[in-house]
């Protein structure tokens, strides 16, 4: 009987990830962290951007290879779910929705194209490790994550896209909190059941709130005139140098925005925007307060079932935030609930 390789794909709104393992023996999990990245001499990232661009109506670049100057699809995952309430309110969703019309494509087709490119790289990674004849030795099973709040329509569209992309016929969907929790509980040798619940709050909304702040201090008209490439560079710098490092202290950060006019009163000088600690705290707290409220509701749901929460697991990109970890830890200091950060989940 052929051995089985199980591939896990975390299809995220802004970034996606993948890992795989032979289902037998030690079951060592290989996390793919060498995604193609022309801007890095030493590629080492656990996630790859969920972005795809087109040229002559055909897929052109994906992930880190998408140039800042290219028109590209971002946040298109959200367009798979017609019940999402943010479709008309977020710039990336609006832009991607308009591009669908230009290319005469559906969100399902864009997702299939992205999956196809992602899947090709995953298979190449397996080949590098297991050899050219791996297909004759192993069968494949794919586990694909979806949000806990995904509607039946969104799940069906995700599955259709995965099958159109040529992913294994042996394919199953699992909710994101369930996948993350089961992975952590396995490492801790525990067998508690994860609670499946979710809400619309997290890293992507932190990005949106930050960009809205910049637009406000720069001025909506001037901000719209700044080159799209410059705005994208600023958001990437916020992602890498601010969002991941912020701890809630009084340290001052800055981002570059090429082409912005000087305004000393707002801390703008020589294409650099100084980020006041009070502003950053306001932006972070706006999102983290929503997460706190969501967690409280989840804990209440568990209590209604006469069960007790033992730990809160922080996973994903924003799950690595030191500030969010501290805020949640402070909020649950007196109730015996641990707050754990999980790398690579």
């Amino acid at each position: 009987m052929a051995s089985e390789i199980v591939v896990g794909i975390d299809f995220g709104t802004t970034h996606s990830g993948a890992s795989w393992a032979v289902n037998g023996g030690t079951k060592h999990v290989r996390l793919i962290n060498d995604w193609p990245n022309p801007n890095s001499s030493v590629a080492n990232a656990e996630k790859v951007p969920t972005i795809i661009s087109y040229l002559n109506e055909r897929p052109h670049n994906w992930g880190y290879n998408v140039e800042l100057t290219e028109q590209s699809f971002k946040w298109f995952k959200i367009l798979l779910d017609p019940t999402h309430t943010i479709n008309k309110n977020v710039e990336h969703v609006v832009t991607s929705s308009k591009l669908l019309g230009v290319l005469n494509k559906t969100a399902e087709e864009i997702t299939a194209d992205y999956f196809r490119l992602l899947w090709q790289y995953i298979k190449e990674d397996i080949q590098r490790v297991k050899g050219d004849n791996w297909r004759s030795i192993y069968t494949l099973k794919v586990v694909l994550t979806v949000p806990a709040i995904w509607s039946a329509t969104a799940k069906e569209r995700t599955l259709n896209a995965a099958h159109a992309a040529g992913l294994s016929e042996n394919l199953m969907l699992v909710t994101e909190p369930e996948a993350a929790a089961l992975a952590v509980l396995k490492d801790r040798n525990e067998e508690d059941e994860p609670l499946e619940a979710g809400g619309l709050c997290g890293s992507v909304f932190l990005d949106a709130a930050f960009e809205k702040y910049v637009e406000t201090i720069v001025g909506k008209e001037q901000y719209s005139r700044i080159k799209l490439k410059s705005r994208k560079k600023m958001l990437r710098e916020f992602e890498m140098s601010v969002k991941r490092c912020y701890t809630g202290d009084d340290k001052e950060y800055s981002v570059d925005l090429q082409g912005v006019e000087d305004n000393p009163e707002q801390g703008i000088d020589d294409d650099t925007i100084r980020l006041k600690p009070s502003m950053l705290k306001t932006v972070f707290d706006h999102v983290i307060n929503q997460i706190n409220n969501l967690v409280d509701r989840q804990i209440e749901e568990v209590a209604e079932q006469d069960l007790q929460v033992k730990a809160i697991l922080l996973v994903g990109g924003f799950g690595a935030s030191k500030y969010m970890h501290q805020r949640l830890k402070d909020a649950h200091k007196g109730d015996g609930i641990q707050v754990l950060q999980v790398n690579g989940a």
Side-chain angles (χ1 to χ4, degrees):
M1 183 177 178
S3 298
E4 179 184 61
I5 288 179
V6 180
V7 179
I9 299 176
D10 177 18
F11 174 43
T13 303
T14 61
H15 290 78
S16 296
S19 60
W20 58 271
V22 176
N23 191 12
T26 59
K27 297 184 180 179
H28 172 72
V29 177
R30 175 175 170 83
L31 176 65
I32 298 177
N33 61 5
D34 60 349
W35 301 103
N37 187 348
N39 298 315
S40 175
S41 58
V42 182
N44 185 8
E46 294 177 351
K47 297 292 180 71
V48 61
T50 309
I51 306 174
I52 185 170
S53 66
Y54 286 75
L55 182 65
N56 298 325
E57 300 183 358
R58 298 178 65 84
H60 181 52
N61 285 321
W62 70 287
Y64 291 107
N65 284 320
V66 176
E67 297 288 341
L68 293 172
T69 53
E70 291 184 79
Q71 276 198 317
S72 57
F73 285 93
K74 297 180 180 180
W75 293 35
F76 55 87
K77 169 183 171 180
I78 290 174
L79 294 174
L80 291 171
D81 193 343
T83 66
H84 258 307
T85 58
I86 66 169
N87 285 9
K88 298 179 181 179
N89 302 323
V90 177
E91 181 182 353
H92 292 319
V93 180
V94 173
T95 301
S96 290
S97 185
K98 289 179 180 177
L99 277 177
L100 289 178
V102 172
L103 292 177
N104 194 28
K105 283 183 172 285
T106 66
E108 191 175 303
E109 290 172 327
I110 299 298
T111 303
D113 286 339
Y114 182 81
F115 278 165
R116 192 174 293 111
L117 294 166
L118 185 74
W119 181 235
Q120 180 60 36
Y121 193 80
I122 293 170
K123 290 188 293 184
E124 290 172 2
D125 187 79
I126 296 173
Q127 181 179 334
R128 284 193 293 270
V129 176
K130 293 299 181 181
D132 294 341
N133 64 337
W134 69 273
R135 291 172 184 269
S136 63
I137 302 174
Y138 300 98
T139 60
L140 279 172
K141 178 178 182 178
V142 176
V143 180
L144 183 62
T145 64
V146 294
I149 59 172
W150 228 217
S151 67
T153 299
K155 290 178 182 177
E156 182 181 4
R157 289 177 176 177
T158 305
L159 277 174
N160 290 343
H163 288 307
L167 271 66
S168 171
E169 287 297 317
N170 189 1
L171 173 69
M172 66 177 291
L173 300 181
V174 62
T175 65
E176 292 163 354
E178 183 180 14
L182 289 175
V184 175
L185 294 174
K186 176 181 178 295
D187 288 341
R188 294 167 61 87
N189 295 316
E190 298 178 29
E191 297 180 352
D192 300 86
E193 288 293 321
L195 172 67
E196 294 184 24
L200 297 176
C201 50
S203 181
V204 291
F205 295 96
L206 183 65
D207 295 344
F210 169 71
E211 187 172 23
K212 188 67 177 176
Y213 165 76
V214 173
E215 182 186 72
T216 300
I217 65 170
V218 170
K220 191 170 185 178
E221 185 178 343
Q222 184 194 163
Y223 189 73
S224 66
R225 294 198 308 266
I226 294 173
K227 290 181 179 179
L228 181 61
K229 180 179 180 179
S230 298
R231 285 184 274 160
K232 287 181 177 179
K233 275 188 174 180
M234 177 196 70
L235 290 172
R236 184 174 293 178
E237 185 178 5
F238 176 72
E239 163 77 27
M240 303 301 294
S241 303
V242 181
K243 189 163 67 175
R244 299 185 183 188
C245 304
Y246 182 69
T247 61
D249 58 16
D250 291 332
K251 179 181 177 181
E252 196 169 272
Y253 295 85
S254 65
V255 292
D256 292 337
L257 181 58
Q258 189 173 357
V260 67
E261 297 174 6
D262 288 354
N263 186 340
E265 188 177 331
Q266 295 290 354
I268 304 173
D269 180 55
D270 195 22
D271 290 339
T272 298
I273 301 176
R274 182 165 48 84
L275 305 176
K276 299 175 183 177
S278 59
M279 179 281 298
L280 279 178
K281 190 173 189 304
T282 298
V283 170
F284 273 80
D285 283 347
H286 174 70
V287 175
I288 292 176
N289 287 343
Q290 296 178 56
I291 294 172
N292 256 328
N293 291 336
L294 175 62
V295 170
D296 287 343
R297 290 199 301 272
Q298 292 174 332
I299 292 173
E300 289 174 3
E301 289 179 25
V302 172
E304 289 171 0
Q305 300 174 38
D306 293 325
L307 298 171
Q308 185 178 4
V309 172
K310 296 179 180 178
I312 298 167
L313 309 178
L314 304 182
V315 300
F318 200 35
S321 166
K322 297 180 178 66
Y323 184 52
M324 182 168 69
H325 176 262
Q326 190 59 52
R327 281 286 310 276
L328 284 169
K329 190 175 178 181
D330 291 343
H332 298 280
K333 191 177 298 183
D335 55 18
I337 299 175
Q338 296 185 76
V339 181
L340 308 175
Q341 285 185 309
V342 186
N343 294 325

